[in-house]
Amino acid sequence: MSSTDKEAFLKVFDQLKDELIADFQTLPGLSEELKSQLTTYYTQCLETTVPGGKMTRGLTVVKGVEVLKGRALTESEFFDAAVLGWQVEWLQAFFLVADDIMDGSITRRGSPCWYKHAHVTQDNGINDALFLENLIYKSLRRHFKKHPSYVHILELFIDTTFQTEVGQHIDTNGTPYADGKRAPLDLERFTLDRFKGCVRYKTSYYSFYLSCALSLAYCGVDPVESPDMYQKANDVCMRLGEYFQIQDDVLDAFAPPEILGKIGTDIEDAKCSWLVCKALEICSEPQKQILRDHYGKHDADGVAKVKELYKELKLEELYHEYEEEQKQACDALIATIEPESFQELFKFLLAKIYKRQK
């Protein structure tokens, strides 16, 4: 079986979903009516929040195991790798449901955010994010408790969740809070140094490194005996993550919502994005005043003025130059990975994001 078999991968999601939903029937002290309510609500929750994306993070685990094995996977190996891959997708769902609430987002993947559904609201949405995270560990226990790398796999999820939540804090507090509301905008806080720290922790670990490390762990690569393989994976993934996030920031500002699948709100939310950091690095004092006047405000005319400034500073052109530089740097770094066959996994990841449009 192959990492390109998305239909087989999606079937594993259906099995995991059915297993988790069936657990409601084993809960003591609940009426059949309550069990039915939980079953209906969380079936919709899982089907809405977990699948539906490109599934790159999950399929990367399958691809990694395939590359490390050096052959097509058996049915059992594919299932195991797909289960691990879906746990990365579940982690993504947990982060996105929570992130959409924190950002006040409207759409996700072209549809209303989960908390925006009329029967969900923010109150349920917060609990559902926590619920999604918990389900990761239920599935891991169900399918990997006897696997020799079970503890290492658990640690990868625990560490990655911690790292991502550190990144989320850095991102949320680009403009800090005071007296229960955001403090006045302080452009001095928007530096490329802060941006890179945020990217490393909020994006690179969970979007790139986790999938690669899970492949290594499943295949029995011990991080104590073979630290170089994990370190090389880390080095490439940190660079890929930075490239991916800068792409994301550019797409948030310039890609049409119907293509991107969401309405970008980085400007309104005063995000410490690559665009604003780069703008501050090269703009004149009058141009900086435009950012002071309009960045971080929920005003359509102000957002348009900030985007016009980005165009005036030719930030899209600068990004395209950066993209080519990153592609070359990634190619060079990937070429240093041993065994050489493991390079295929990172070439696969780079190909997924190079010049992406959404």
Side-chain angles (χ1 to χ4, degrees):
M1 299 185 76
S2 166
S3 57
T4 60
D5 193 343
K6 288 189 177 182
E7 185 176 342
F9 187 68
L10 283 164
K11 284 182 180 177
V12 175
F13 165 77
D14 289 334
Q15 178 175 334
L16 294 171
K17 178 198 67 179
D18 291 346
E19 290 170 350
L20 292 163
I21 294 299
D23 288 343
F24 289 128
Q25 300 304 316
T26 68
L27 296 176
L30 292 183
S31 68
E32 291 306 311
E33 183 181 353
L34 281 174
K35 289 177 182 178
S36 176
Q37 178 184 320
L38 287 164
T39 296
T40 300
Y41 181 88
Y42 279 108
T43 297
Q44 184 184 2
C45 176
L46 299 189
E47 290 175 349
T48 301
T49 62
V50 182
K54 296 183 287 293
M55 302 184 295
T56 300
R57 294 168 183 82
L59 289 167
T60 296
V61 181
V62 183
K63 178 70 174 180
V65 173
E66 196 175 73
V67 165
L68 288 163
K69 295 284 186 184
R71 55 170 171 75
L73 302 183
T74 65
E75 190 173 330
S76 174
E77 289 168 341
F78 178 89
F79 178 79
D80 283 350
V83 170
L84 287 175
W86 276 114
Q87 302 324 299
V88 184
E89 295 292 330
W90 241 277
L91 188 67
Q92 158 91 333
F94 155 50
F95 291 148
L96 294 185
V97 169
D99 193 57
D100 285 342
I101 294 170
M102 286 183 267
D103 288 349
S105 298
I106 307 300
T107 58
R108 170 69 63 182
R109 295 170 178 165
S111 299
C113 298
W114 174 244
Y115 83 101
K116 283 291 186 182
H117 287 237
H119 70 298
V120 180
T121 75
Q122 182 173 304
D123 292 349
N124 275 311
I126 292 169
N127 187 61
D128 295 343
L130 299 172
F131 188 81
L132 288 165
E133 181 192 21
N134 176 264
L135 297 185
I136 295 167
Y137 298 99
K138 287 179 69 67
S139 288
L140 289 175
R141 181 176 62 190
R142 194 189 319 268
H143 292 282
F144 288 95
K145 192 172 184 178
K146 295 182 180 178
H147 192 279
S149 297
Y150 178 56
V151 173
H152 183 204
I153 289 168
L154 288 177
E155 288 175 342
L156 284 169
F157 278 97
I158 292 167
D159 290 346
T160 302
T161 303
F162 171 76
Q163 288 157 341
T164 308
E165 288 167 353
V166 167
Q168 180 66 41
H169 177 86
I170 296 170
D171 184 41
T172 301
N173 291 277
T175 299
Y177 287 85
D179 299 323
K181 59 184 180 181
R182 282 208 183 272
L185 185 70
D186 180 6
L187 293 177
E188 298 303 316
R189 294 172 68 90
F190 292 169
T191 64
L192 286 171
D193 177 66
R194 184 183 190 88
F195 169 79
K196 288 182 178 182
C198 179
V199 169
R200 183 183 186 95
Y201 284 90
K202 188 183 176 186
T203 302
S204 299
Y205 285 114
Y206 101 87
S207 291
F208 293 93
Y209 178 70
L210 177 60
S211 298
C212 299
L214 286 170
S215 303
L216 290 167
Y218 176 75
C219 291
V221 179
D222 191 305
V224 175
E225 295 177 3
S226 304
D228 284 356
M229 288 189 73
Y230 285 91
Q231 187 58 53
K232 285 286 188 183
N234 181 81
D235 292 345
V236 177
C237 288
M238 293 307 105
R239 187 174 285 276
L240 286 171
E242 181 181 312
Y243 170 29
F244 177 84
Q245 187 59 55
I246 291 176
Q247 270 184 332
D248 224 40
D249 292 350
V250 172
L251 291 170
D252 184 275
F254 296 115
E258 61 272 16
I259 294 176
L260 188 60
K262 64 178 183 177
I263 299 169
T265 60
D266 284 359
I267 294 171
E268 296 96 316
D269 295 334
K271 293 293 185 178
C272 182
S273 76
W274 179 80
L275 289 167
V276 74
C277 291
K278 197 67 181 174
L280 288 165
E281 188 177 65
I282 63 177
C283 71
S284 66
E285 189 56 35
Q287 290 171 325
K288 187 178 287 188
Q289 191 59 47
I290 294 173
L291 293 172
R292 290 194 190 101
D293 292 341
H294 302 292
Y295 200 75
K297 294 178 181 175
H298 288 261
D299 171 64
D301 289 340
V303 169
K305 287 176 181 175
V306 172
K307 290 184 179 181
E308 190 57 41
L309 174 61
Y310 288 166
K311 291 177 181 176
E312 188 179 318
L313 293 170
K314 295 184 170 24
L315 291 185
E316 274 194 282
E317 288 87 338
L318 285 174
Y319 162 70
H320 291 306
E321 290 175 13
Y322 164 87
E323 182 172 45
E324 294 309 317
E325 291 170 2
Q326 282 295 90
K327 171 70 163 58
Q328 292 175 19
C330 287
D331 285 339
L333 196 53
I334 289 168
T336 68
I337 291 175
E338 293 181 359
E340 189 173 338
S341 60
F342 196 37
Q343 294 177 16
E344 290 306 311
L345 176 59
F346 302 98
K347 290 176 182 177
F348 164 80
L349 282 172
L350 181 56
K352 284 284 185 182
I353 65 173
Y354 181 57
K355 292 191 180 298
R356 70 186 174 101
Q357 300 299 310
K358 61 179 181 177

